[in-house]
Amino acid sequence: MEQHLCTALRDKLQLLTVPAWDGATLLPSTRLLLKRREVAEVERALQRQREEFQQRMEQLVQHQQQLGQREKQHQDVTLKFDAFLKGLAARQEQALQHADKERAWAAEQGAKVAHLCQELEGLLQHRDHLALCLRSLQVFSDYLQAVLARTGQFQDVPAMLAHFEALVRPWATLAQEAEAEQEQLALGWAQLQQQQEEIDSKLLSTNNEVSQLHACLEAAPHDMLQRESHWAHVQSTATQETLLLGQIKLAVLNLFQLTTRWLEFPADIALEDTEAQLDTDLVVQGGKRRDNRPQHDTCRKNKGE
């Protein structure tokens, strides 16, 4: 602003025109007055410039204040608008939540209505069924009314029914006792049948064992005969084998005596040692095949081996 003021003042001073005076012809006082007048004019011009500048400054300050107020108003409006948008969003969200709740409540109410409709339909059907039962029981009601009119002992049908119920209770007790006794009798009969079946099964198994033992007893003589015949055959076979063994031993002994006697071989073997006698015979026969002459030393050596 100061630069702008200086520039404007310079322009004003340049625009000022001072009349041309001849300095040589003017007096010094006149020149002084002229200079003072020029200075006064310049001061007046400066004063006007200052006043204009002051007015402009005041206008600028007012304009700045107005701008500040407007800016503050705009900020307030902006804050209010933001708050309004936030409130609007919150209200919108609340409205959506409320709408969801309303829809859920409407769905729940619809389900309740459907359930109540079903219950109502069931109740109507039950009412129709009760009406049919009532119509079917009307005959019994008429019968009870007729009985009440004939007896003349009771005031109404409930009193008559209470009297008969009092009579029916002992009968029901007796019926229950009879039923319990019947059940016990049936249980005892079932146990008896079970015991009878067990006895029959045991008797059957005993009869089977007796039959098996009888069959074994009948088969015992035949088995005994077979075993006796087999034992006789074994004994005969053993006797034959014993005889054959004795013959073999005698033959081996005779052969041993003949061999030792003929070859003059010393015989220091016991008569019961058939195996040694047989071994000696075999050794002697083997030596005889190799050499027809009797060789006592060779026989003794073979005997020792």
Side-chain angles (χ1 to χ4, degrees):
M1 294 298 292
E2 290 179 356
Q3 290 178 0
H4 182 69
L5 181 59
C6 292
T7 303
L9 181 59
R10 192 180 301 111
D11 294 337
K12 292 291 184 180
L13 290 175
Q14 289 178 0
L15 292 174
L16 291 175
T17 57
V18 181
W21 298 93
D22 190 1
T25 59
L26 294 175
L27 294 174
S29 60
T30 305
R31 286 197 300 271
L32 181 60
L33 290 173
L34 290 173
K35 290 294 183 181
R36 287 179 178 176
R37 189 177 63 182
E38 290 176 1
V39 171
E41 289 177 358
V42 170
E43 287 180 358
R44 284 193 299 270
L46 289 174
Q47 186 64 30
R48 287 194 300 270
Q49 292 292 328
R50 288 191 186 96
E51 291 176 357
E52 291 177 0
F53 178 73
Q54 188 68 28
Q55 291 176 359
R56 289 182 180 178
M57 286 297 293
E58 290 177 358
Q59 291 177 359
L60 289 173
V61 171
Q62 291 178 0
H63 185 65
Q64 188 175 3
Q65 290 178 356
Q66 291 176 359
L67 289 176
Q69 292 178 359
R70 289 181 180 177
E71 185 177 1
K72 187 176 180 180
Q73 290 177 359
H74 286 305
Q75 289 179 357
D76 294 338
V77 171
T78 302
L79 292 175
K80 290 180 180 180
F81 186 69
D82 291 337
F84 174 74
L85 290 178
K86 291 180 180 178
L88 181 62
R91 287 193 297 272
Q92 187 176 3
E93 186 176 359
Q94 290 178 359
L96 291 175
Q97 291 178 358
H98 183 69
D100 293 336
K101 290 181 180 178
E102 289 292 334
R103 284 195 292 270
W105 181 79
E108 185 178 359
Q109 294 298 321
K112 288 182 179 179
V113 169
H115 182 67
L116 291 174
C117 289
Q118 291 179 358
E119 288 184 354
L120 179 61
E121 185 177 359
L123 292 173
L124 291 174
Q125 291 178 359
H126 185 63
R127 186 190 66 181
D128 296 337
H129 179 69
L130 291 177
L132 291 175
C133 292
L134 183 61
R135 284 196 296 270
S136 62
L137 295 174
Q138 187 65 35
V139 179
F140 300 99
S141 178
D142 297 337
Y143 175 75
L144 291 174
Q145 292 293 336
V147 171
L148 180 64
R150 287 182 182 179
T151 56
Q153 298 178 1
F154 306 100
Q155 295 179 357
D156 52 5
V157 174
M160 183 178 64
L161 292 176
H163 177 71
F164 282 110
E165 286 179 0
L167 295 176
V168 166
R169 288 193 188 97
W171 180 82
T173 304
L174 293 174
Q176 290 178 357
E177 292 177 356
E179 185 177 0
E181 291 178 356
Q182 189 70 25
E183 289 179 357
Q184 292 180 358
L185 181 62
L187 181 61
W189 181 253
Q191 292 178 355
L192 180 61
Q193 287 183 349
Q194 184 177 1
Q195 292 177 358
Q196 185 68 32
E197 290 177 357
E198 291 177 356
I199 292 171
D200 292 339
S201 62
K202 289 181 180 180
L203 183 61
L204 181 61
S205 61
T206 304
N207 291 330
N208 292 329
E209 291 178 359
V210 170
S211 300
Q212 291 177 0
L213 292 175
H214 186 67
C216 293
L217 183 62
E218 291 179 353
H222 181 68
D223 293 338
M224 184 63 69
L225 292 175
Q226 289 182 353
R227 290 178 182 179
E228 288 178 356
S229 64
H230 180 67
W231 176 248
H233 177 70
V234 169
Q235 285 182 348
S236 64
T237 304
T239 302
Q240 292 177 1
E241 290 180 355
T242 302
L243 292 174
L244 180 61
L245 180 62
Q247 292 175 0
I248 292 171
K249 285 183 177 182
L250 289 175
V252 170
L253 180 61
N254 292 329
L255 180 62
F256 174 73
Q257 290 177 355
L258 290 174
T259 303
T260 55
R261 190 180 300 117
W262 181 56
L263 295 176
E264 297 179 358
F265 189 80
D268 54 355
I269 299 173
L271 297 176
E272 293 82 6
D273 194 357
T274 305
E275 294 181 357
Q277 295 172 6
L278 183 61
D279 292 337
T280 302
D281 292 337
L282 292 175
V283 169
V284 172
Q285 292 295 329
K288 185 179 180 181
R289 289 189 186 94
R290 290 192 301 270
D291 191 0
N292 292 325
R293 295 172 302 175
Q295 298 178 358
H296 300 287
D297 296 334
T298 304
C299 291
R300 290 191 186 95
K301 183 179 181 181
N302 291 332
K303 183 177 179 298
E305 291 177 357

